[in-house]
Amino acid sequence: MPAPVAADRPLRRLVVPAFLPAAVFGIGQGAAAPLVALSARELGGSVAAAGAVVALLGLGQVLGDLPAGRIVARVGERSAVLLGSAVGLVGVALSFVATSVPVLGLGVGLFGTASAVWGLARQSYVVDAVPEAMRARALSAMAGLSRLGFLLGPFLGAAVVHLVGTRGGFLVQLVAVVAAGALMAALPRLEHPPDAAGGRGRGRTGASLRAVVTAHSRVLRTLGAGALLMGAARASRTAVLPLWADHIGLDAVTTSMLFGIGAAVDVALSYPAGRWMDRRGRRGVAVVSLLVFAAAHVALPLTAGAVTLGVVAVLMGVGNGLSNGVIMTLGADAAPVDARAEFLGAWRLCHDLGMLAGPAAIAMVSAAAALGAAALAMGAVAGVGAAAMARWVPRRPPRPRAI
């Protein structure tokens, strides 16, 4: 049996069991993400059908959030990871061998559901494994490494695609799911004194998911609304930035470079943002990140070339980098002591609904008005989100309570 992990063990002791799997899992996601739509087109799907298949990833994650909380609560993080890995393997395998668009969509949706289980199990474990004073930087570091993996994934995927064709990205993803699952399946056993920081939330009340959501409905309606708006602002950038680049006549290579620069800024700011949250509180980071998103979206229609759009891409990278770990940290702070996993499932659902709604809002406003109007609308959404975070994020993390 693995040796117990002490509650005050430094973050570096979590590199192999928690942080490295996040990066490996991110590599798999990044390798496959650019190829989902292309695979759908190769199978004879229309542009609309390809877009729907891409959306199924987010939909699968949304549908998996609430069950993920219950699964982690019932079977524990290690078993939940094994289950999520098994479902993810089935999903990726279906995507790899799909001979029709519906089969591809099923595979993509299953992987989204597996991602929800994976993400919640990872978050729950890290929250228990670190002292409360290091919670934000631990979660931000994990989020940043996941983003780093996602940034590197397309390059590795491109090399495999060159050898085996478009489905090569799914092959990389398959290997990544196996490797990340194997690493997390060896999670060290956690043992804490009853009052140890970071050791809370291991008990189970047996409360139903409905009871947990009802008991914490005020937090989910208020702070959860801020999480939803942040999710919408974060996700919209992946749609509005490349669409505007195409609108002003930039080619795919330039657009990819600008996106890469923004992503590099994103990764670089993740850990510093976590330290800021641990030292100064969560509110400042949450509000500033959304204000930066608002400024970037409002400035987007004013750009007319690669340089000015590059400035906006960097701004979006700053906003996203600062927001890395914010949602996970706020959720961990607000979670009840004896029903953490169930609460976190509902909490993640708030954010993931925003992630699903953001690109959809861009599409709808663009169709009804113009792309510039869609960008301004998302700027307003981010501004409202900043106000919500300023109003509802506590100055200091609250002490967790029972339901």
Side-chain angles (χ1 to χ4, degrees):
M1 180 176 291
V5 174
D8 59 352
R9 184 172 283 188
L11 295 184
R12 60 184 176 82
R13 303 299 293 271
L14 291 174
V15 169
V16 173
F19 296 163
L20 183 57
V24 173
F25 201 77
I27 288 173
Q29 290 178 303
L35 304 172
V36 173
L38 292 178
S39 297
R41 294 287 286 155
E42 279 191 355
L43 292 171
S46 64
V47 172
V53 170
V54 173
L56 285 173
L57 179 66
L59 180 61
Q61 191 161 331
V62 165
L63 294 177
D65 280 329
L66 291 178
R70 202 58 177 159
I71 289 169
V72 172
R74 285 182 177 272
V75 304
E77 288 88 355
R78 184 184 298 142
S79 296
V81 164
L82 292 175
L83 177 62
S85 298
V87 174
L89 280 173
V90 172
V92 178
L94 282 176
S95 301
F96 184 67
V97 303
T99 56
S100 67
V101 173
V103 174
L104 176 65
L106 177 61
V108 170
L110 282 174
F111 183 79
T113 302
S115 297
V117 178
W118 249 86
L120 196 142
R122 238 178 13 224
Q123 178 184 3
S124 180
Y125 182 84
V126 170
V127 169
D128 264 347
V130 299
E132 189 174 298
M134 302 178 71
R135 176 182 291 168
R137 76 192 76 175
L139 292 172
S140 295
M142 186 171 67
L145 285 169
S146 179
R147 298 285 178 82
L148 177 61
F150 194 88
L151 179 63
L152 298 177
F155 296 101
L156 180 57
V160 179
V161 167
H162 180 70
L163 296 175
V164 303
T166 304
R167 304 293 180 89
F170 295 122
L171 188 59
V172 174
Q173 190 177 37
L174 190 71
V175 174
V177 169
V178 172
L183 287 168
M184 275 204 75
L187 287 173
R189 179 166 49 90
L190 290 168
E191 288 186 359
H192 303 287
D195 60 345
R200 294 181 295 267
R202 305 302 292 177
R204 308 296 182 204
T205 63
S208 69
L209 179 61
R210 176 179 292 183
V212 174
V213 171
T214 300
H216 298 276
S217 59
R218 184 174 182 274
V219 173
L220 296 172
R221 287 197 315 266
T222 55
L223 192 56
L228 187 149
L229 295 173
M230 178 175 280
R234 294 170 72 177
S236 68
R237 83 193 193 284
T238 63
V240 73
L241 192 65
L243 288 174
W244 189 261
D246 179 70
H247 175 72
I248 62 178
L250 298 183
D251 59 31
V253 173
T254 303
T255 302
S256 296
M257 289 180 62
L258 295 180
F259 223 90
I261 292 170
V265 173
D266 175 352
V267 171
L269 285 176
S270 296
Y271 187 73
R275 288 182 63 87
W276 182 7
M277 281 192 282
D278 279 334
R279 293 184 175 185
R280 304 291 183 180
R282 312 346 183 179
R283 181 185 293 179
V285 176
V287 171
V288 170
S289 66
L290 279 164
L291 289 176
V292 172
F293 271 129
H297 281 88
V298 170
L300 185 69
L302 304 178
T303 64
V307 174
T308 50
L309 186 59
V311 173
V312 169
V314 168
L315 271 178
M316 289 186 173
V318 170
N320 211 49
L322 290 175
S323 68
N324 270 342
V326 167
I327 298 300
M328 290 192 291
T329 302
L330 290 175
D333 290 343
V337 295
D338 48 2
R340 175 183 290 159
E342 293 93 336
F343 176 86
L344 289 180
W347 173 256
R348 290 171 69 93
L349 178 62
C350 295
H351 177 260
D352 289 347
L353 282 172
M355 294 284 287
L356 191 61
I362 292 290
M364 288 188 292
V365 177
S366 297
L371 183 58
L376 293 176
M378 291 311 302
V381 166
V384 173
M389 291 297 191
R391 172 66 180 85
W392 299 112
V393 175
R395 291 187 180 276
R396 294 294 175 189
R399 293 193 63 82
R401 59 184 178 87
I403 62 171

